[in-house]
Amino acid sequence: MKVKDPLAVIRSEIDTLDNQICQAINNRARCAQRVGELKQKQGDKSFYRPEREAQVLRRVIEANTGPVTNEDMALLFRQIMSMCLSMERPLTIAFLGPEGTFTHEAALKHFGKSVINAPQPAIDDVFREVAAGECDFGVVPVENSTEGMVSQTLDNFVDSTLSIVGEVELRIHHYLLIGSNSDAKKITRVYSHAQSLAQCRKWLDSNYPKIEQISVSSNAIAAKLAQGEWNSAAIASLSSCDLYGLKQLESKIEDQSDNSTRFLIIGRERVLASGHDKTSIVVSMHNKPGSLYGLLKIFYAAGVDLTRVESRPAKGSKWSYIFFIDFVGHCDEQRIDQLLEKLKNQSISIKLLGSYPQSVL
């Protein structure tokens, strides 16, 4: 009796599983189509539900038994959901462009690849395009673990009518890239966004102390400049290297190995509770001793977990400040609703920026 090749047996099992996976994905897509048809009949225009996607991804992670990592499994399902959603109508996503920026990477991580990219030249433009209805959602950077808050994003929230509908965190790795016109030993200048230059300051001082550091509007712009100039380099992401045909000279040159950036997803509608939520507000306080203490005491008394407090100068009032505050919970919860009422009585004004699912990926 001929013994079967054990490798052939495993490959046959893989082929069978691949067929089952293919069939299951198509079945899921058909279910998504039926959901879209039913919503259309009911007049429900909210075909994309951030809280529902967050719940699905958390359930996938809870069901995962390995050896695939939770993050990889969630990313796989993120793309499946993105593909299924695009069969109803692909989302148009605005982000700080051009393509190849870290904000673009964050958009892909949160929405998947089955979307229409709408890169914008500035953060202000991302807010403007979403508010005008030209794009469904926008992605903007809000804070970096090394360099702190992105003030331009915070300032836009003060006057904007948009809501925060989600968040995504991205581990940031910086690469030193050069074009075909440049000699690695003769680099005289390096282009990058101001935040990226700051995040690589010590490395640059140690390895290229005499190089000119030039700040530009995005790392992707830096990559484009390095692509066409002589003896210039760019600090950008690895995706920019591939996108613009550059050569990787040095990798992971950020000063902090755990360097990460948090991005916010902005939209025109509020988001329902997902069960694992965060709320963001902006508060204007009376300019008197103890006002901030009184504000924070309300959170302490309510047992609400604060995740961020950031101050910014108030417009039109010298030496007065407004506070951007993030905390755990959703505004639809009774305890959070009561907390917001107490804050209103304590402050000059309070603006709810949004309640949204905490980052899953």
Side-chain angles (χ1 to χ4, degrees):
M1 181 178 178
K2 187 176 179 180
V3 179
K4 289 186 177 180
D5 179 4
L7 187 59
V9 172
I10 296 173
R11 284 174 173 168
S12 177
E13 184 178 351
I14 289 174
D15 290 343
T16 301
L17 289 170
D18 285 345
N19 290 337
Q20 293 172 354
I21 292 170
C22 183
Q23 186 61 44
I25 290 174
N26 279 308
N27 287 340
R28 192 192 193 286
R30 292 187 187 97
C31 285
Q33 286 178 319
R34 286 162 52 198
V35 168
E37 291 168 0
L38 185 59
K39 283 186 175 182
Q40 197 171 32
K41 289 180 181 178
Q42 295 175 342
D44 185 354
K45 297 181 180 180
S46 59
F47 63 99
Y48 175 70
R49 299 289 293 273
E51 74 281 2
R52 167 62 179 163
E53 288 209 348
Q55 290 168 347
V56 171
L57 291 176
R58 291 187 189 282
R59 191 177 67 248
V60 165
I61 290 173
E62 290 173 2
N64 183 38
T65 58
V68 178
T69 66
N70 286 341
E71 182 176 5
D72 285 341
M73 185 64 76
L75 286 171
L76 175 62
F77 270 80
R78 158 59 67 205
Q79 182 53 37
I80 291 173
M81 288 191 290
S82 177
M83 178 181 58
C84 291
L85 185 63
S86 70
M87 298 176 71
E88 295 182 53
R89 181 175 74 80
L91 296 173
T92 301
I93 308 300
F95 57 87
L96 179 62
E99 294 183 350
T101 61
F102 288 116
T103 313
H104 183 208
E105 288 188 23
L108 292 174
K109 184 177 181 181
H110 188 82
F111 289 102
K113 297 180 179 180
S114 300
V115 297
I116 299 172
N117 293 324
Q120 304 298 320
I123 291 173
D124 295 2
D125 297 299
V126 176
F127 275 82
R128 191 177 301 114
E129 289 297 295
V130 178
E134 296 297 322
C135 295
D136 296 299
F137 297 96
V139 183
V140 290
V142 68
E143 63 178 321
N144 176 263
S145 59
T146 303
E147 290 301 308
M149 305 308 300
V150 180
S151 57
Q152 191 176 3
T153 295
L154 295 184
D155 291 343
N156 268 281
F157 276 118
V158 174
D159 299 317
S160 176
T161 59
L162 298 177
S163 296
I164 303 172
V165 301
E167 64 174 358
V168 59
E169 294 182 9
L170 191 67
R171 180 63 63 87
I172 302 296
H173 294 303
H174 293 299
Y175 296 80
L176 188 66
L177 312 174
I178 59 173
S180 56
N181 294 332
S182 296
D183 185 335
K185 298 179 180 180
K186 297 180 179 179
I187 297 173
T188 59
R189 71 190 75 86
V190 59
Y191 295 102
S192 195
H193 189 275
Q195 282 263 345
S196 298
L197 289 172
Q199 291 163 25
C200 304
R201 186 183 298 113
K202 292 180 181 178
W203 188 92
L204 286 171
D205 289 344
S206 297
N207 294 274
Y208 291 90
K210 296 182 180 180
I211 197 172
E212 182 184 7
Q213 300 178 24
I214 304 173
S215 174
V216 293
S217 59
S218 74
N219 290 347
I221 292 293
K224 281 187 174 182
L225 290 169
Q227 180 188 45
E229 291 188 6
W230 292 90
N231 299 328
S232 65
I235 295 176
S237 66
L238 196 58
S239 61
S240 292
C241 181
D242 300 331
L243 193 60
Y244 298 106
L246 300 176
K247 175 184 175 182
Q248 178 185 321
L249 199 58
E250 299 285 350
S251 63
K252 298 181 180 180
I253 65 172
E254 60 276 3
D255 296 332
Q256 300 292 331
S257 59
D258 60 347
N259 186 28
S260 298
T261 296
R262 176 175 170 239
F263 299 83
L264 296 177
I265 315 301
I266 55 175
R268 294 182 294 278
E269 305 293 334
R270 65 187 300 271
V271 179
L272 299 177
S274 71
H276 298 272
D277 301 290
K278 187 182 288 186
T279 294
S280 295
I281 60 175
V282 57
V283 181
S284 176
M285 298 297 299
H286 295 282
N287 189 11
K288 63 180 183 180
S291 58
L292 179 57
Y293 170 76
L295 181 72
L296 298 180
K297 190 168 67 172
I298 295 174
F299 287 92
Y300 177 78
V304 173
D305 183 16
L306 281 169
T307 59
R308 178 174 65 97
V309 178
E310 184 75 18
S311 65
R312 291 286 295 157
K315 295 180 180 179
S317 182
K318 189 176 181 180
W319 306 121
S320 293
Y321 294 86
I322 56 176
F323 297 92
F324 291 86
I325 302 174
D326 293 345
F327 54 91
V328 176
H330 193 282
C331 63
D332 286 345
E333 298 176 44
Q334 184 178 8
R335 67 188 185 103
I336 301 300
D337 182 60
Q338 292 173 348
L339 170 73
L340 293 174
E341 283 299 319
K342 291 179 181 178
L343 290 173
K344 287 178 183 178
N345 297 329
Q346 181 77 20
S347 61
I348 298 174
S349 66
I350 177 173
K351 179 181 180 182
L352 177 65
L353 301 181
S355 291
Y356 48 93
Q358 295 183 43
S359 176
V360 179
L361 291 171

